[in-house]
Each structure stands twice: as C-alpha cells, then as structure tokens.
Amino acid sequence: MALRWTRILGAGAAVVAVGVAAAWFLTKPAPLPEDSWAGLGEPDLARGETLFWVGGCAGCHAAKGATGDAVKVMSGGLPLTSPFGTFHVPNISSDPNAGIGAWTLAEFGNAMLRGVGKGGEHLYPSFPYTSYARMSPEDVNNLFGYMKTLPASSNVAPPHELGFPYNIRATLGGWKFLFFNSEPWVDLASADEKLQRGQFLVEGPGHCGECHTPRNALGGLEAGQWLAGGPNPEGEGRIPNITPGSRSVGSWSEGDLVNYFQTGFTPDYDSVGGSMVEVQKNLSHLSQGDLEAIAAYLKAVPERQ
Amino acid sequence: MRLKSTVVIGAVLGCLSFSSAFAQEEPQSARQAQMKVVGQSMKELGAIAKGEKPYDGAAVKAALEGVSTSMKAFPDQFPAGTETGMETEAAPAIWEKTDDFRAKSDKLAAEADTLLASVPADQAGVGAAMKALGATCGDCHETYRLKR
C-alpha cells in the first residue's frame, strides 16, 4: 500500500515536473535569432519616421500634454491606468542611461517584435508589441534609426504599481502563449499592393485593433469581432465600430476617412474626440498614399454590426 | 447661394433663441443644439475653404456669429443633474474640471470673435480660420465628450 502511494506520488511529481518544464518552455521569453538583425544596412529614416507616427509612440512615451516639438521627447512617465494597476511608461529617448540610447538593434527589436525586454524579461502588453510584432526586422531597423535622431531626456519613470499576481512578469508567459502571435487578423484574398500596405499599417504599427476590437475575459482580442468596437476598456463610453457594418463610418467614403485622419472632422463636421484625438494627430503626419491605404483596408475588412 | 447659407444658419440660430425662450427646454438638448450650430457653421466654412462653394462674406460672417453665440451660451448648459439623459455625450470630467471646461469653451468663442473683428476676405483666409477654430474642437472633445 505504502509502496503504491509512493509510486503514484512519484509519477504525479514526474508529470508535474514535465508539465512545469513544458510550461516554462512554452512560455519563456523568446527573442528572435541573433542573425535576424544582421545585414540590414543603413536605416531609411523617412520610413522610420512614418512608423514612429503611425505607431503612436509619442502618445504614450512623451510627457503628458506635450505639444509642438516636445512630442518628440520620449521621456516617459505617463501613467496608464488599467484594471491590473498603473503602468508608468518608461523613457525610450536616445539618452544612454535613462533611455534606450545604449541599446543594440537586437535588444530594441526583441522588445518591438517579441515583447522581450533588455534583461530578457517579458514585457507587459500595455506596450502594444502584440501588434508591432507584424513589422519586419527591416522596419525595426528603420524605426530604431529614426528614434536615435530624437532628443535625449534624463527623466526616470517610477516603477509600475500592479497588484499580485500581475506584478510577476513570468505570469505574462502564459498570456503571451494564448494571445500573442504575428499572424494576419483578416484574410484578404485578392489584396493588391495598396490593400496590403493598409493591412500592414492597421494590423501592425497602427495597432488600431488594440482599441477598436473587443477583448475576452482574459484580455485577448476577439478574432471574430475584428475592429467591431465595444466598451472602452480604459473607462466610460464606447469605442466605435470601424468595419463597413458600422452605423457611423459604414457610410463614409474612403475620401471621408482620409479627410478625418488629416483634419479630425467627420463628413458632418463633427470633431474627433477621446483617445482618438491623439491617434488622429499622429496620423496627420502620414502621406496621402498611406492614409488612402488605411481607408481602403477599412473598407475591405469583414462587416460587423 | 449666398442667401441660402445665410438663411440656413440664421434659421438654426433663430430656433436656438426661440427654444431658449422656453425655459422648460432640457439643458441637454440646448447644448446639443448649440453644438449642432457649431458643426453646421464649420461645414459652411469648410465648403468655402475647400472651394466646394464660392467665397461669400455674408455666409462667413453668419457662420462665425453662429459659433460665437453658441459658445457663449454653451458652458451654462451643464447644471448638476444633467450628467446623463437625452443621449448626452457629455463626459463626467465636465463636472470635475468645470473651470478648465469653461476656459476651453471661452477659447473657441474668443477665436470666433477675433475672426469676426476682421472677417476673412477670401478662400485662403477662410481656410486659415478653419484651422484656428478647428484646433479647439478636438482639444475639448478629447476630455469632455464621450461617445456612448
């Protein structure tokens, strides 16, 4: 009898050990292979700047309320409130000590595409690498090149204030295992070059789905409701549906959408509001062609009510 | 054309003063009507700025007056108890940061008054006016208006 129990317990322990090892293996931080970053050449700064604006880095990493040239100072410090606690956005300016001025391309790239920090730790998805992961190493090289041209700031942001267990970065591994991938969100069968560009901008750096797609109980995006809108996760109000089935933008032309991104005015001369104000300001830096690509993509995604 | 735009704005303004003559009107609908005038006025100016309509001094003046009059009355339409109801999109922040909200409202009224002091005289001038007025809209809607 005693023997039997020992065997069962032993087997159980072995299973648990294998399970833990497998879980660790599946959920540990997974940087890209080192050679992903080799031979990328000189960055294209103009392309990098486009990624900076569509990526909305300034919206989170600049000081609160920054205007004019100050929006290019990535000093960090903005508090982001969430149901898990408060995140304090870090300094990613070109300062070698307080910012990321001393980071290698691989370190920056693993943060952007894999959600892995400089020390090999998991990063919180409040930093939308879950979308940025759809960029390529070339894109990251261009963006990194541009970020280096921005001013340095010595500001140090306070540590995040998160409750247990969210304050343990290792727990993010499970979340990433479930919800983090770099697959396209929609399948656009006959996508021409313009649509493909729109898909890249919206699903990748633009991270539009992070706000415009509803989330499940664990905080993952609901694939079947891509861009369908829903309650605002940051507080009161709703985020609008921006698929062709939307009660508002469904009837807008592609030109109306481009005009909204450029000026903040809807076709009825209502004005952009809420967190979209910041996004619209950033989008107004994009070329007409890129904004047309975004509009074309929004007209091509599956209709949701 | 000129007559029509002037008449439209005039009519909307007329309704506004007409409705405020009836004290029973809910502040929620009063403020929504004021914002509708602001939107309609911007539409007039936008059409001229984009060259969809020919420049028309009287229409420009009427539109600017629409903005000015509405914005002067607007911040008084938020008494306690009107935080919800009538499908209002007013954000709770209005009652938390009343002074800042009023300042943003006054800013738009002041921009309109400055422009009224020397009414833009051509299409390019109207374009510049659109920019000056337009910058204030998102600045307020960002914090004080909530789509529900």
Side-chain angles (χ1 to χ4, degrees), chain A residues 72-75 91-101 147-155:
Chain A
K72 292 188 182 174
V73 186
M74 302 289 101
S75 55
N91 180 334
I92 58 161
S93 76
S94 54
D95 188 280
N97 302 312
I100 61 169
M147 304 284 303
K148 284 181 179 168
T149 68
L150 300 179
S153 154
S154 58
N155 180 52

Side-chain angles (χ1 to χ4, degrees), chain B residues 64-98:
Chain B
L64 291 171
E65 275 164 356
V67 175
S68 170
T69 314
S70 305
M71 290 317 289
K72 280 175 190 152
F74 186 65
D76 296 327
Q77 313 303 321
F78 297 84
T82 65
E83 293 83 348
T84 55
M86 326 268 310
E87 299 191 331
T88 183
E89 295 180 332
I94 292 176
W95 290 271
E96 289 154 14
K97 298 188 271 183
T98 313

Side-chain angles (χ1 to χ4, degrees), chain B residues 115-137:
Chain B
L115 290 161
L116 275 169
S118 73
V119 175
D122 55 16
Q123 185 183 344
V126 175
M130 278 291 289
K131 279 229 166 71
L133 299 169
T136 68
C137 319

Side-chain angles (χ1 to χ4, degrees), chain A:
Chain A
M1 201 53 161
L3 191 71
R4 217 176 122 206
W5 275 112
T6 318
R7 273 205 195 131
I8 290 175
L9 280 180
V15 167
V16 169
V18 170
V20 166
W24 164 247
F25 181 75
L26 289 172
T27 68
K28 71 179 179 164
L32 287 175
E34 192 59 33
D35 63 6
S36 314
W37 312 106
L40 294 174
E42 280 300 305
D44 180 328
L45 298 184
R47 284 172 182 262
E49 178 169 7
T50 296
L51 295 170
F52 173 79
W53 291 122
V54 72
C57 318
C60 289
H61 287 278
K64 191 179 162 69
T67 52
D69 274 348
V71 303
K72 292 188 182 174
V73 186
M74 302 289 101
S75 55
L78 184 77
L80 296 178
T81 48
S82 80
F84 316 109
T86 302
F87 296 94
H88 295 278
V89 181
N91 180 334
I92 58 161
S93 76
S94 54
D95 188 280
N97 302 312
I100 61 169
W103 286 32
T104 64
L105 175 62
E107 285 164 344
F108 179 74
N110 281 318
M112 298 304 296
L113 303 187
R114 303 298 307 161
V116 175
K118 191 172 191 283
E121 75 282 14
H122 284 304
L123 294 174
Y124 289 99
S126 49
F127 162 36
Y129 59 80
T130 36
S131 293
Y132 297 153
R134 289 171 184 75
M135 296 195 285
S136 68
E138 290 77 25
D139 296 323
V140 168
N141 186 38
N142 295 337
L143 176 59
F144 194 42
Y146 177 74
M147 304 284 303
K148 284 181 179 168
T149 68
L150 300 179
S153 154
S154 58
N155 180 52
V156 178
H160 305 320
E161 298 159 72
L162 306 172
F164 181 81
Y166 309 110
N167 54 352
I168 301 183
R169 286 183 184 267
T171 60
L172 290 167
W175 190 90
K176 280 166 98 176
F177 177 67
L178 292 174
F179 300 119
F180 175 48
N181 65 67
S182 53
E183 299 300 312
W185 279 103
V186 294
D187 183 15
L188 297 173
S190 61
D192 59 13
E193 216 172 285
K194 183 174 170 192
L195 262 187
Q196 284 175 16
R197 176 74 178 161
Q199 179 164 31
F200 166 75
L201 291 169
V202 171
E203 298 188 7
H207 67 280
C208 315
E210 304 277 349
C211 290
H212 283 281
T213 303
R215 292 175 188 272
N216 60 28
L218 291 172
L221 299 183
E222 286 186 39
Q225 291 293 312
W226 178 242
L227 302 182
N232 177 4
E234 286 167 16
E236 285 193 72
R238 286 185 73 77
I239 312 265
N241 177 344
I242 54 171
T243 72
S246 163
R247 273 185 298 139
S248 51
V249 296
S251 62
W252 297 12
S253 69
E254 290 183 22
D256 291 338
L257 284 165
V258 170
N259 184 62
Y260 177 78
F261 299 142
Q262 283 170 336
T263 66
F265 286 121
T266 73
D268 304 329
Y269 282 86
D270 194 340
S271 159
V272 58
S275 50
M276 190 65 195
V277 171
E278 174 73 39
V279 177
Q280 184 269 320
K281 276 188 202 154
N282 290 331
L283 289 177
S284 70
H285 291 273
L286 266 61
S287 70
Q288 176 91 13
D290 277 347
L291 293 177
E292 283 170 2
I294 291 177
Y297 169 84
L298 293 182
K299 288 292 170 195
V301 299
E303 189 169 319
R304 296 282 175 261
Q305 297 303 323

